[in-house]
Amino acid sequence: MTEKKFKLEHPVFRIISLTAKESGTKVYVIGGYVRDLLLKKECKDLDFVVRGSGIDFARKVAKKLKCDKEIAVYKNFGTAMIHYKGVELEFVGARKESYNRNSRKPIVEEGTLEDDQKRRDFTINALAISLNEEDYGQLTDPFGGVEDLENKIIKTPLNPDETFSDDPLRMLRAIRFACRLGFRIQEETFEAIKKNKDRIEIVSKERIVDEISKIMLTEKPSKGFLMLDKCGLLEKIIPELSKLKGVEIREGKGHKDNFLHTLQVLDNVAISSQNLWLRFAALFHDIAKPLTKKFIGGTWTFHNHEFIGAKMIPQIFKNLKMPLNEKMKYVKKLVGMHHRAIPISNDEITDSAVRRLMYDAGEDLDDLLILCEADITSKIEEKKQKFLNNYQIVRKKIKELEQKDFVRTWQPPVDGNLIMETFNLKPCRIVGEIKDTIKDSILDGKIENTYEAAYKLMIELGEKRNLKPVSTQNEKTS
Ligand code: CTP
């Protein structure tokens, strides 16, 4: 046991300490809070372990904190959570746990503090500080967690096979903590992840995605994905990503390793943006490359990979039980458009091409440009600089056109309803054609972006199709 005593700042500690004294029990703050305290990092949520019933104890604390209504009880797990002034206080009775092999739900049996500590995931998360009067602030570290924090090591308190087999989600947690804290996973622990990888099947997809998202949100997510790949978990969780791996060589010509390229793009995006969904778009931007790969005329091609990749997104989300909502549509859109800006930035940059990109990307234009720039991973510095420079020109042009045209939030001044009313048409192909021609003419700068110009063109386009306007009453000024 380490003799070090800690000063505990949070006001709830004294109240919890008093509750323990009054009820003749022992309580400790444990887990993430203690780990982050030693790392001098901020940790918002607090976990407590109590001798006896965590639920009964939590009820007493809630009463003292005058927030009886803010308590959630999880009887099956023997835990209770209090929401107190934006902080989550979680209480659990010290337990000896043994897990059901086919689910993550533990069978709970009362135990000592040390019993509880050894059933936790990692030594660095098994540190506890006493809140009891006789040794308030005293750290308990039976498994060398402090030393592992100093040496930056993720390791399980028990034999790792046992810890991971108990709760396979911990395999992902190991990788997440290694990424977030910049630690390495001890070899024996990593070997156990490899060995137990198939056990991930009993973990719900929601929990898996939660961990993957946390890995995605670290400073250098590639580190996590390389580990996920190395231990074999990636293939089990997102097999489409594993298929990006490797380089094929024909007639002496190889293509780039699309897995490593993807990870570089992901890291590049992570430098520019905290947006999780933009990071997902980076992760999946080349997902269809294995499907579209062809060796034609002495070169490798991945024709249409962005469109096919976009089509794959809903199924990937579905497999991961991720909601098929606006976020999914956003990822799909960016994957589908990630090549759209390349010809614009490479060729002569015309107003109409930029306008079209602005119109199609809409409010996601800035994110799309971040993705496009992140996608420049050429090792030839000169080439890379040239491409990046071109994007600067595209950005400048966007600013200019934005001031002139407001294209980003723009809608054509003549809509389908007006076309139908004017020519007395029911919804049909012709309405769509006239509408698109008007939109394209404005985007290409052929006519002015005004109601009058659009209306005039609508009449001309109708006449070409032998349509006569039934009334001109809708003609109005913009
Ligand atoms: N824990 C565990 N096994 C798990 C999840 C959690 O042993 N599968 C234990 C660890 O002791 C952990 C504590 O419960 O420290 C709290 O878990 P959680 O709140 O998920 O993580 P934190 O360690 O607090 O980390 P974070 O900063 O991500 O909240």
Side-chain angles (χ1 to χ4, degrees), residues 90-121:
E90 182 155 358
F91 294 85
V92 62
R95 51 200 167 167
K96 284 184 189 158
E97 276 170 7
S98 47
Y99 280 73
N100 182 338
R101 272 201 74 77
N102 299 317
S103 87
R104 289 184 57 242
K105 293 197 175 65
I107 304 155
V108 180
E109 211 182 302
E110 226 177 87
T112 62
L113 171 65
E114 188 166 331
D115 285 334
D116 188 279
Q117 284 172 298
K118 76 166 155 239
R119 307 277 359 161
R120 287 188 178 255
D121 53 2

Side-chain angles (χ1 to χ4, degrees), residues 160-350:
D161 272 336
E162 207 173 324
T163 303
F164 292 138
S165 172
D166 274 355
D167 178 1
L169 182 74
R170 291 168 169 171
M171 300 188 283
L172 290 177
R173 284 173 62 90
I175 293 173
R176 190 240 297 180
F177 283 116
C179 280
R180 198 216 286 169
L181 302 173
F183 282 23
R184 80 180 168 81
I185 301 176
Q186 178 222 30
E187 219 172 289
E188 195 191 335
T189 302
F190 196 75
E191 285 305 311
I193 300 181
K194 275 189 186 164
K195 194 167 142 196
N196 289 285
K197 67 177 194 309
D198 292 340
R199 294 275 292 152
I200 201 71
E201 280 158 17
I202 66 160
V203 179
S204 78
K205 290 276 166 45
E206 289 81 358
R207 302 294 301 270
I208 292 176
V209 169
D210 190 41
E211 287 300 328
I212 295 289
S213 301
K214 285 178 177 166
I215 293 171
M216 297 275 284
L217 285 171
T218 58
E219 214 176 302
K220 204 165 182 238
S222 63
K223 188 178 164 187
F225 281 93
L226 288 171
M227 279 192 263
L228 285 169
D229 174 49
K230 200 170 161 198
C231 68
L233 277 171
L234 189 68
E235 202 175 359
K236 301 216 65 92
I237 298 170
I238 316 177
E240 295 85 352
L241 279 177
S242 294
K243 293 201 182 93
L244 291 174
K245 275 175 18 179
V247 177
E248 200 178 327
I249 297 172
R250 274 201 218 167
E251 295 172 17
K253 283 201 178 148
H255 56 76
K256 62 184 160 198
D257 181 317
N258 288 308
F259 181 60
L260 298 179
H261 164 72
T262 290
L263 295 188
Q264 208 182 329
V265 177
L266 177 59
D267 282 350
N268 287 347
V269 164
I271 294 170
S272 310
S273 170
Q274 287 295 321
N275 177 347
L276 174 65
W277 303 102
L278 179 52
R279 292 184 185 198
F280 266 112
L283 187 67
F284 294 139
H285 80 286
D286 276 348
I287 204 70
K289 278 203 165 168
L291 271 178
T292 54
K293 185 166 90 171
K294 285 202 177 79
F295 190 73
I296 304 172
T299 44
W300 289 103
T301 67
F302 303 91
H303 193 57
N304 265 350
H305 75 272
E306 63 277 25
F307 302 117
I308 293 167
K311 279 197 182 153
M312 288 168 72
I313 298 299
Q315 192 57 48
I316 294 175
F317 270 55
K318 209 168 156 200
N319 293 345
L320 289 167
K321 293 220 170 97
M322 289 163 83
L324 302 179
N325 58 11
E326 289 310 308
K327 308 295 182 205
M328 184 280 285
K329 285 188 194 146
Y330 163 91
V331 173
K332 185 176 170 190
K333 176 176 169 185
L334 290 194
V335 171
M337 288 191 74
H338 81 274
H339 266 209
R340 276 286 307 275
I342 295 173
I344 299 179
S345 64
N346 285 351
D347 302 341
E348 177 98 353
I349 300 169
T350 64

Side-chain angles (χ1 to χ4, degrees), residues 41-172:
K41 285 182 195 269
E42 211 192 327
C43 176
K44 229 172 134 206
D45 300 327
L46 304 170
D47 291 286
F48 301 94
V49 59
V50 188
R51 291 297 304 272
S53 163
I55 297 174
D56 292 348
F57 188 81
R59 286 205 172 104
K60 289 178 192 158
V61 174
K63 211 167 187 180
K64 272 207 161 48
L65 293 172
K66 296 193 175 49
C67 55
D68 308 45
K69 289 204 180 67
E70 302 300 323
I71 183 165
V73 171
Y74 307 96
K75 274 218 176 96
N76 286 350
F77 290 91
T79 62
M81 168 108 76
I82 303 174
H83 293 272
Y84 179 70
K85 296 189 176 171
V87 180
E88 286 179 357
L89 313 173
E90 182 155 358
F91 294 85
V92 62
R95 51 200 167 167
K96 284 184 189 158
E97 276 170 7
S98 47
Y99 280 73
N100 182 338
R101 272 201 74 77
N102 299 317
S103 87
R104 289 184 57 242
K105 293 197 175 65
I107 304 155
V108 180
E109 211 182 302
E110 226 177 87
T112 62
L113 171 65
E114 188 166 331
D115 285 334
D116 188 279
Q117 284 172 298
K118 76 166 155 239
R119 307 277 359 161
R120 287 188 178 255
D121 53 2
F122 309 114
T123 58
I124 60 165
N125 285 345
L127 297 160
I129 297 178
S130 166
L131 299 178
N132 307 305
E133 199 177 30
E134 62 279 11
D135 57 354
Y136 190 89
Q138 169 82 53
L139 179 77
T140 309
D141 176 20
F143 303 104
V146 172
E147 202 185 324
D148 290 340
L149 273 181
E150 280 163 5
N151 295 326
K152 302 186 174 225
I153 286 179
I154 306 287
K155 163 173 139 195
T156 54
L158 290 177
N159 173 340
D161 272 336
E162 207 173 324
T163 303
F164 292 138
S165 172
D166 274 355
D167 178 1
L169 182 74
R170 291 168 169 171
M171 300 188 283
L172 290 177

